[in-house]
Amino acid sequence: MERDQAEELRSLQDTLYFIGGKWRIPIINSICNGNKRFKEIERSIPGITTRMLSKELKDMEVNKLVKRTVYPDIPVLIEYEPTEHCRSFGNVIAEMINWGRSHRDIVMERKK
Amino acid sequence: MERDQAEELRSLQDTLYFIGGKWRIPIINSICNGNKRFKEIERSIPGITTRMLSKELKDMEVNKLVKRTVYPDIPVLIEYEPTEHCRSFGNVIAEMINWGRSHRDIVMERKK
């Protein structure tokens, strides 16, 4: 089958649009790694502000990437879980981690 | 071996920093697909401006992602080629294309 470069580019740009910004992917990564509570997620991502995390989680809930469950205990317990669609992004993240590693090695090598 | 989540996050953030902006990856994709001349690359990426492409290519040359060769013909011929390091980003791009496709299917499904 011949490759449809225009279609490939559209798919690629959809993904880049989805990634949008520096926090979306670290948050997906954190939730897929099993962090469920707001504070857990926040602590796992150095540099993120409470405000940014809150905004991103709301957006991700609307877009069906994250499921938010409220347990009516006292105090109220809120948990975030990744949807299947969110988990499917894991392969992209795994490749990004691999590449980031080799990129670091190459940059270090150059500085020697 | 236990997973080092902090290290994984750093590698991930290095990659995200590298991606920076909406044009870097489509340009890598275009050059890795065999487009060599400025005009070819420009035509293969709908929406990119001459100014943006020029700026990105200069930046990628400095960072050893792209090799720029000038052939002293009349008129001068300039070709851009991906370095090995640039090509190694191909796996990330392939996963992004795959995910972008399934994401589109899911978004379409939801709108029905």
Side-chain angles (χ1 to χ4, degrees):
Chain A
M1 198 178 81
E2 207 176 319
R3 287 173 55 193
D4 179 348
Q5 292 199 13
E7 187 279 330
E8 286 187 1
L9 181 60
R10 270 199 313 279
S11 299
L12 188 54
Q13 286 179 320
D14 284 350
T15 305
L16 289 171
Y17 179 78
F18 168 79
I19 291 173
K22 62 189 278 206
W23 299 118
R24 174 69 56 96
I25 305 233
I27 295 170
I28 293 179
N29 190 46
S30 174
I31 294 175
C32 287
N33 277 340
N35 294 307
K36 291 183 174 189
R37 310 281 300 272
F38 191 94
K39 280 285 166 204
E40 282 175 345
I41 302 166
E42 193 177 16
R43 264 194 296 264
S44 74
I45 307 171
I48 198 165
T49 62
T50 305
R51 189 197 173 106
M52 277 311 302
L53 179 55
S54 172
K55 187 184 164 299
E56 283 286 332
L57 284 173
K58 263 184 207 138
D59 195 44
M60 286 167 74
E61 197 191 345
V62 171
N63 285 291
K64 309 268 185 252
L65 287 162
V66 144
K67 193 170 157 280
R68 182 173 179 269
T69 313
V70 181
Y71 298 95
D73 294 335
I74 297 167
V76 150
L77 174 65
I78 299 172
E79 283 190 350
Y80 295 91
E81 276 171 296
T83 61
E84 266 314 299
H85 184 46
C86 183
R87 282 197 186 281
S88 74
F89 200 72
N91 290 338
V92 181
I93 290 182
E95 286 299 339
M96 282 183 171
I97 291 172
N98 283 340
W99 193 85
R101 254 175 217 144
S102 70
H103 183 58
R104 192 166 51 225
D105 292 346
I106 285 178
V107 171
M108 299 286 235
E109 192 62 38
R110 229 173 264 152
K111 281 190 183 148
K112 272 179 196 165
Chain B
M1 200 178 80
E2 207 176 321
R3 287 174 55 194
D4 179 349
Q5 291 197 16
E7 186 279 329
E8 286 188 1
L9 181 60
R10 270 200 314 280
S11 299
L12 188 54
Q13 286 179 318
D14 284 351
T15 304
L16 289 171
Y17 179 79
F18 168 79
I19 291 175
K22 63 188 277 207
W23 298 119
R24 174 67 58 96
I25 305 234
I27 295 170
I28 292 178
N29 190 46
S30 173
I31 294 176
C32 286
N33 277 339
N35 294 308
K36 292 184 173 186
R37 309 281 300 272
F38 191 95
K39 281 284 164 203
E40 281 176 345
I41 302 166
E42 192 176 16
R43 264 194 296 264
S44 73
I45 307 171
I48 198 166
T49 62
T50 304
R51 190 196 172 107
M52 279 310 302
L53 179 56
S54 171
K55 185 184 162 301
E56 283 286 332
L57 284 173
K58 262 184 208 139
D59 194 45
M60 289 168 72
E61 198 192 343
V62 171
N63 285 292
K64 309 268 185 251
L65 287 162
V66 143
K67 193 171 157 280
R68 182 173 180 271
T69 313
V70 180
Y71 298 96
D73 292 335
I74 298 167
V76 151
L77 174 66
I78 299 171
E79 284 190 348
Y80 295 91
E81 275 170 296
T83 60
E84 266 314 298
H85 184 44
C86 183
R87 283 197 186 281
S88 74
F89 200 74
N91 290 338
V92 181
I93 290 182
E95 286 299 341
M96 284 184 170
I97 291 173
N98 282 339
W99 193 85
R101 256 177 216 144
S102 70
H103 183 58
R104 192 166 52 224
D105 292 345
I106 285 177
V107 171
M108 298 290 236
E109 192 62 37
R110 228 173 266 154
K111 282 194 180 146
K112 271 179 197 164

